[in-house]
Amino acid sequence: MDQVQHSEGLCNAIMALISPELYDSGLNAIELIKQGQEMAKPHPHQQQWPSIFIASQVIVNWVTPPHRDSGGCPTHYDLLMSAGTHTKAELSVPELGVHLSYRPGDVVAVCGKVFLHEVADWSGGERVSVSHYMKDNVHERLKVCHPNWPREEDYLSLVGK
């Protein structure tokens, strides 16, 4: 947990900018879990969890076929971080006709339940992807509200008048 604390802090900050309500929902859920809410038994490391996301998954050197993520709600963003030594990769969202750079250091937010997304191939070395996501059933069990879709006024209020 100590080794990923700084990168998770960066992911948390990115989500706070992209979707402030989702950030608040995730933070609320994690705080409830740390308090022992709805836990069958405490995990010895739960207090050290540095993320607002319920879970993360590491994918190493695997093609990611087109898929939708079944566990979130439509307004949840998954935060996908690319790492490794590869020099070229694309994260595609075919329904939108979008092909994004997915080289080491790139971070992409996608509504994974709503949109098909994939990484069909990469070149130039090892590919590591860290997917951060929230689970709707965990939020429902903890009675954490679903966030609304971000709105323009959410951002305008951050920059002042």
Side-chain angles (χ1 to χ4, degrees), residues 23 34 37 40 43 69 104 123 133 143 153 158:
Y23 172 85
K34 286 181 176 182
Q37 288 255 340
H43 188 277
D69 302 323
S123 61
Y133 52 93
K143 298 177 178 61
E153 54 267 17
L158 297 174

Side-chain angles (χ1 to χ4, degrees), residues 26-101:
L27 184 62
N28 186 17
I30 294 300
E31 286 174 350
L32 291 170
I33 289 169
K34 286 181 176 182
Q35 293 167 14
Q37 288 255 340
E38 296 293 334
M39 298 288 289
K41 63 180 183 172
H43 188 277
H45 303 294
Q46 75 191 39
Q47 296 303 321
Q48 296 171 310
W49 186 253
S51 179
I52 56 126
F53 294 93
I54 295 296
S56 60
Q57 177 182 26
V58 178
I59 300 168
V60 179
N61 291 336
W62 283 89
V63 167
T64 311
H67 68 284
R68 287 186 177 84
D69 302 323
S70 61
C73 80
T75 58
H76 285 177
Y77 287 91
D78 300 334
L79 198 65
L80 312 174
M81 289 178 33
S82 182
T85 60
H86 67 283
T87 56
K88 184 177 179 190
E90 270 185 3
L91 181 113
S92 298
V93 185
E95 295 162 316
L96 300 177
V98 172
H99 305 280
L100 304 168
S101 171

Side-chain angles (χ1 to χ4, degrees), residues 9-32:
L10 180 60
C11 290
N12 293 347
I14 291 169
M15 192 50 58
L17 291 171
I18 292 172
S19 180
E21 279 189 41
L22 181 58
Y23 172 85
D24 290 342
S25 293
L27 184 62
N28 186 17
I30 294 300
E31 286 174 350
L32 291 170

Side-chain angles (χ1 to χ4, degrees), residues 123-143:
S123 61
E126 304 285 330
R127 184 177 88 84
V128 178
S129 177
V130 182
S131 305
H132 298 79
Y133 52 93
M134 299 184 191
K135 292 291 208 175
D136 196 31
N137 60 353
V138 173
H139 282 203
E140 285 180 5
R141 187 171 184 149
L142 293 167
K143 298 177 178 61

